[in-house]
Amino acid sequence: MAVNLDAIRKRVQEMTGQRKTSNVQLWKPGPGEYLARIVPWKPSQVVDGMPFIERRFYYLGDNPRILCPSQFGKPDPVYDLIRKLYSTKSAEDRELAKKLKSKLTAYAALVVRGEEDKDVQVLSLNTFQEQRLLGLFMKASIGDFTDPVEGYDLEITVAPSPKKFNGKTVMDWTFDVARKQTKLHDDPKVMQKWLDNLPNVDDMLASSFKTEKEIEQILNVWLAGGADDNSGKDEGQTRGGEPGKKDALDDLAEDIKGSKPAEQKAPAAKAEEHAKKP
């Protein structure tokens, strides 16, 4: 029997939680005005008929963002710790739990007018941008503007914000629906090609998938470093501790289980104290 190495490789990646790097194009426009069409995801790609793919991430200091394993039904050390922290009823623990909480990012598939040669691209949306687009669906005069035949293009304006984030200039995005109803493409074959060949967002996010052990190591280093506020940055290096040894996370979890709220120290301080022990 001939062995299919490609099939084996794919199966190993599935079993280990890895993803194959893809050529998904993330649309990152500069300042300007654009016309684009949101392309509906396949029903198998979204949840409960929602128009966008949503993913949750942890941001632990300057470490690269981490996809929350719990949203895929996998073991999640950060989620487990958050639950333990809230269960203590301690104000300090609650503040730490808030720092650990995940942030939501939504993804839309779109074709940018004038860039049709790039086929379907992906637009990353923060919570406010997603809310704005979801609100457009609710308008009776608009409805499902993503419909390939009876939908509408989006008018998108990108401009520098007067406000700065961590000293850096950020962009303000505004969305509006074009007044004229149009098709996704006049050529049915091109339209079908776009609908059949939608990007795989999880392939694009391959580097954000971490194993349970990797997440525990990142979390321990972050706790031992004082549990700084989540910066939201997707940069930095990941450093792990020694496997098989009790660390700051283990001690913190045990303290939370066995101590009364009135006797607890601030979790970040306890983690730092434990990390200094020989």
Side-chain angles (χ1 to χ4, degrees), residues 3-60:
V3 174
N4 187 331
L5 293 179
D6 287 336
I8 293 174
R9 185 178 298 108
K10 181 179 179 181
R11 181 58 178 151
V12 169
Q13 289 173 339
E14 291 174 350
M15 295 173 69
T16 58
Q18 298 175 353
R19 295 292 187 275
K20 183 179 178 181
T21 302
S22 71
N23 59 352
V24 175
Q25 298 186 80
L26 189 63
W27 188 50
K28 295 183 177 180
E33 297 181 353
Y34 303 88
L35 197 63
R37 181 59 164 266
I38 300 292
V39 183
W41 294 109
K42 296 178 182 178
S44 60
Q45 292 178 288
V46 292
V47 177
D48 297 330
M50 291 295 291
F52 309 122
I53 292 175
E54 296 181 336
R55 293 289 181 263
R56 288 194 166 275
F57 298 86
Y58 295 124
Y59 293 87
L60 303 180

Side-chain angles (χ1 to χ4, degrees), residues 36-42 49-52 107-111 113 125 133-134 136-137 142-154 177 181-185 191 195 198:
R37 181 59 164 266
I38 300 292
V39 183
W41 294 109
K42 296 178 182 178
M50 291 295 291
F52 309 122
Y107 296 93
L110 83 169
V111 171
R113 301 306 187 191
L125 302 164
L133 289 177
L134 291 177
L136 294 177
F137 283 98
I142 298 174
D144 183 7
F145 57 88
T146 69
D147 186 280
V149 178
E150 300 179 349
Y152 299 83
D153 286 355
L154 280 181
V177 174
Q181 198 174 56
T182 57
K183 294 182 179 180
L184 174 59
H185 198 282
M191 182 192 299
L195 293 171
L198 292 169

